[in-house]
Amino acid sequence: MLYAPGDFPEHVSVTAYVDGMRHGSVTNAELLQSVVRDTLEDVIPTTLSQAVTPQQVTQLVDQAIASVHEGIANRMLSVDLSAIHPDFRDFKTEFPLADGATVANFLDRLWAIMRDHVRPYTYGTHWVLIDRKSNHIFRDVGSTWARTHFGQPEDNRPLKEIGFRVDMDLAVLPLRHSA
């Protein structure tokens, strides 16, 4: 899905928009490169020493495609958004957990999906992520946390470094506020 700079709130500069789009593309490209490399390393060696018929080529391509699909599925974070709004009932979104994926990029992309129901820059104050398998709430992440603890405007730590894993059962958890 593509967004024009004018689709973002006024406080998001064109430079920040372009930077965000660029980082997202790099992360997806890194993920794809990793999956393709792993796939080729698994599939190609078994066929290099043989003469291959057209049927075998088709079979090899099908095997490679299946391996790529499995490789991508095994590198995705799945997030349940149903607690945010009825519009998201039974809705999960997925994000690539590539080596360079950062907290800032992940939360920005997540917010872009929920933007009609969640104000920007409210992670940690109005909503958080929880791993429902362990009941671990990711409180020590996000731009507000990064400003307070690092003096940085964004949390650019790698997701893997702070404990995000593809086997988690992640969900957005709204924080209740008293009136």
Side-chain angles (χ1 to χ4, degrees), residues 10-167:
E10 290 178 13
H11 68 277
V12 177
S13 69
V14 172
T15 303
Y17 166 81
V18 171
D19 188 54
M21 292 289 99
R22 188 184 73 232
H23 286 301
S25 298
V26 170
T27 299
N28 290 336
E30 289 171 352
L31 174 67
L32 185 57
Q33 180 180 349
S34 175
V35 170
V36 169
R37 181 182 313 279
D38 291 349
T39 299
L40 293 177
E41 289 173 354
D42 287 343
V43 174
I44 298 286
T46 61
T47 61
L48 285 179
S49 61
Q50 306 171 14
V52 185
T53 67
Q55 288 175 319
Q56 290 171 321
V57 169
T58 300
Q59 188 177 26
L60 180 62
V61 169
D62 290 345
Q63 182 182 356
I65 289 170
S67 182
V68 167
H69 282 286
E70 182 180 338
I72 289 172
N74 290 333
R75 289 172 173 85
M76 301 298 282
L77 285 174
S78 180
V79 182
D80 181 352
L81 305 178
S82 60
I84 285 295
H85 193 272
D87 289 351
F88 295 121
R89 186 183 52 187
D90 300 323
F91 181 79
K92 284 191 174 194
T93 188
E94 293 186 331
F95 297 89
L97 185 60
D99 288 337
T102 66
V103 172
N105 183 259
F106 176 56
L107 293 179
D108 287 351
R109 287 172 174 242
L110 192 55
W111 173 80
I113 294 168
M114 304 183 304
R115 63 188 269 177
D116 290 339
H117 308 290
V118 175
R119 291 183 24 235
Y121 305 107
T122 57
Y123 185 87
T125 57
H126 288 80
W127 63 281
V128 292
L129 287 167
I130 184 171
D131 174 17
R132 293 184 291 203
K133 286 183 180 177
S134 66
N135 286 325
H136 175 73
I137 296 175
F138 288 89
R139 293 189 190 279
D140 299 336
V141 299
S143 58
T144 302
W145 188 86
R147 274 192 297 280
T148 303
H149 290 83
F150 297 132
Q152 300 292 319
E154 291 184 337
D155 189 345
N156 288 314
R157 295 175 296 163
L159 288 170
K160 289 180 179 180
E161 180 182 298
I162 59 171
F164 282 91
R165 297 178 325 277
V166 294
D167 64 340

